[in-house]
Amino acid sequence: MARVSFSQAPIASGEADTFDKPVVDNVYLLIGRRENIPAPDATNSTADPTLKLTEWQKAADDEARDKLRKPLNWLGGSSRWIVIGSQSGRVATIENAFVDVPGVIASPQPPFTGIPESTEQMRAAQILAAREFTREMSQVGGR
């Protein structure tokens, strides 16, 4: 795999790609439920309750926490990652890891060195935690 090109605009619109770069790392594609594709607006912190620690603290039981997870594919247990190796082209399907959202908000994994400052960083920390099992694939290597 040499390049990744991505645009949210339809191909027929004639609009230039918003992302077109050479591949320097594995490519991760999340496969989930169609109705969960449009994630809530991360720039509006009230639109996405999964970015607020207080919402998770209010969710007293598993049913309430599942209700918070349901609209986001990377928080859903039924989603899968398709990983394409940047060097070998190897393709693997890997299950989505369970994300302890309050834990991620309070103490995210590297490269984050503290509590994420923006909603985009909080969401990126959640996605990084959901991709936990994909790191095992990159350590195994091979074709």
Side-chain angles (χ1 to χ4, degrees), residues 2-104:
R3 282 188 99 66
V4 171
S5 296
F6 173 79
S7 175
Q8 290 185 343
I11 294 173
S13 73
E15 189 175 310
D17 287 332
T18 56
F19 181 90
D20 183 22
K21 305 254 183 196
V23 173
V24 294
D25 196 0
N26 293 343
V27 174
Y28 302 91
L29 306 170
L30 180 62
I31 308 301
R33 300 184 65 83
R34 183 179 185 94
E35 63 267 17
N36 294 347
I37 290 174
D41 181 9
T43 60
N44 177 0
S45 61
T46 60
D48 188 352
T50 68
L51 300 174
K52 294 175 149 188
L53 188 55
T54 56
E55 293 296 321
W56 289 95
Q57 291 168 338
K58 283 194 276 184
D61 57 15
D62 288 341
E63 187 176 327
R65 287 186 286 275
D66 287 344
K67 188 176 179 182
L68 283 171
R69 292 176 184 283
K70 189 175 181 177
L72 296 172
N73 279 323
W74 61 84
L75 297 179
S78 63
S79 298
R80 299 288 180 262
W81 291 96
I82 305 293
V83 183
I84 305 169
S86 62
Q87 298 295 317
S88 65
R90 177 180 171 211
V91 177
T93 304
I94 300 169
E95 67 182 287
N96 199 31
F98 174 80
V99 179
D100 172 24
V101 179
V104 168

Side-chain angles (χ1 to χ4, degrees), residues 118-139:
S118 73
T119 54
E120 277 297 323
Q121 288 178 334
M122 282 189 225
R123 185 171 279 173
Q126 288 177 1
I127 293 170
L128 187 62
R131 282 188 9 212
E132 179 180 343
F133 300 143
T134 66
R135 286 186 285 285
E136 294 172 13
M137 176 256 183
S138 62
Q139 293 171 356

